[in-house]
Amino acid sequence: MSFSSDVKQELAQVPVLSDCCAQARAYGMLLFGRMFSVSEISFVTENENIAKLYCDVIKELFDITPSVSSGVSKYTVSVADEADRKRILEFFGHSESDISLRINRANLPEDCCFGAFLRGVFIACGTISSPEKNYHLEFSVSYKKLCNDLIQLLDEVGFAPKYVKRKSSHIVYFKVSEKIEEFLTLVGAMNSTLELMGIKMHKDMVNHVNRRVNFENANLSRTVDAAIVQVEAIEKIERTVGLESLPAPLAEMAKLRRDNPEVSLS
Ligand SMILES: [Zn+2]
């Protein structure tokens, strides 16, 4: 399994302690799912447990049992009945005549709800790279205004995310490892945070050792370069005035160097 699905697996199991946060998490999952409109409310996932969570969330809040279809490697969960879809939209303060999908902040009444909401959003449309490779966490959003609202919300809680358009998707992302750790902590993925920090420490140590080895190799090659210059000079003296013209201790040193060019005499 990828690191991303490990994180989602963990997030699916984070207990929700209050009604306000249960609604905020459900809102994040639904709003950032595949579709959230009167004609379709649906969610696609590769993970069976996440599909089950989506069903449970809808069942608990609305007493509606969504339909699930499974394809080659994914599950599609959807609310089949139009009256049910209208009821869900109304509950979250959305209207079937809304022109564009936006985050309705009334669904995040308390500070505690931000983490639960963002957990739902990440479950719905987030991915994270394996920290062994690089540090990258992103959300892929289908609608520009909804994406802008998410950027603003992440900004408010201190994440300073970046934006890029990729094909028809709006991508919100951050690449700073500390921000990724903070985000995972905020949404309740403690084990994943610790795993990321452990991998980061290991990578930093390997980098440090490599830098040290490179530094020592560079020193060694400087020593060798210096020895070559010295040997050339000694040979020139031998060819011209002879080593015996040097003071005795220096002549001794020159012979040693000439016969042992690889040894550091410093
Ligand atoms: Zn709350």
Side-chain angles (χ1 to χ4, degrees):
M1 274 217 304
S2 65
F3 187 68
S4 214
S5 51
D6 286 348
V7 171
K8 290 192 185 187
Q9 190 81 19
E10 185 182 0
L11 290 180
Q13 289 160 4
V14 175
V16 178
L17 300 174
S18 55
D19 286 351
C20 61
C21 290
Q23 286 174 22
R25 179 186 66 176
Y27 184 53
M29 289 178 70
L30 287 159
L31 184 62
F32 285 83
R34 185 171 74 179
M35 285 292 277
F36 187 65
S37 73
V38 70
S39 58
E40 184 180 344
I41 291 181
S42 64
F43 184 92
V44 180
T45 175
E46 293 172 2
N47 186 317
E48 189 181 357
N49 290 334
I50 299 290
K52 189 174 172 305
L53 175 69
Y54 195 82
C55 292
D56 290 347
V57 158
I58 293 175
K59 176 81 183 159
E60 274 165 32
L61 272 182
F62 304 102
D63 197 26
I64 294 167
T65 305
S67 58
V68 183
S69 64
S70 54
V72 181
S73 63
K74 58 188 180 187
Y75 301 83
T76 304
V77 184
S78 50
V79 177
D81 185 76
E82 183 174 313
D84 287 341
R85 292 195 295 267
K86 280 186 180 169
R87 188 150 65 86
I88 293 172
L89 288 174
E90 268 170 34
F91 178 85
F92 288 117
H94 286 258
S95 147
E96 56 185 290
S97 58
D98 283 350
I99 297 162
S100 51
L101 213 49
R102 310 289 302 262
I103 296 175
N104 177 5
R105 290 290 187 100
N107 294 309
L108 311 174
E110 309 288 339
D111 284 350
C112 58
C113 304
F114 281 76
F117 175 72
L118 288 171
R119 186 185 322 141
V121 176
F122 185 82
I123 287 171
C125 71
T127 46
I128 179 169
S129 300
S130 163
E132 310 262 9
K133 295 186 191 123
N134 59 357
Y135 305 114
H136 182 96
L137 184 149
E138 73 172 41
F139 304 88
S140 174
V141 186
S142 303
Y143 307 99
K144 181 75 167 82
K145 285 186 174 160
L146 188 60
C147 178
N148 285 344
D149 286 354
L150 178 63
I151 290 173
Q152 197 188 337
L153 191 140
L154 286 166
D155 246 337
E156 282 170 30
V157 279
F159 287 107
K162 297 204 160 51
Y163 168 82
V164 66
K165 189 159 191 296
R166 192 185 296 151
K167 291 180 185 162
S168 62
S169 297
H170 303 276
I171 310 292
V172 184
Y173 68 96
F174 28 100
K175 300 183 88 65
V176 178
S177 63
E178 286 79 8
K179 291 290 171 205
I180 295 175
E181 286 164 19
E182 270 175 45
F183 181 83
L184 293 177
T185 305
L186 175 70
V187 296
M190 293 310 179
N191 292 338
S192 302
T193 308
L194 290 175
E195 194 182 336
L196 187 143
M197 290 169 87
I199 292 170
K200 195 173 107 185
M201 269 164 63
H202 178 76
K203 272 169 75 175
D204 287 351
M205 206 173 70
V206 168
N207 283 340
H208 176 76
V209 169
N210 283 344
R211 269 200 304 278
R212 185 83 216 166
V213 168
N214 287 340
F215 175 75
E216 277 166 12
N217 282 345
N219 269 352
L220 187 61
S221 79
R222 271 195 290 278
T223 306
V224 170
D225 288 348
I228 289 170
V229 170
Q230 286 171 358
V231 170
E232 278 170 1
I234 293 163
E235 285 170 353
K236 193 174 176 191
I237 294 170
E238 277 188 303
R239 282 198 307 276
T240 52
V241 290
L243 289 184
E244 57 281 6
S245 66
L246 297 172
L250 196 54
E252 192 58 32
M253 187 69 108
K255 279 180 198 155
L256 268 176
R257 165 51 81 212
R258 183 194 62 198
D259 299 337
N260 305 282
E262 75 287 356
V263 175
S264 168
L265 298 182
S266 58

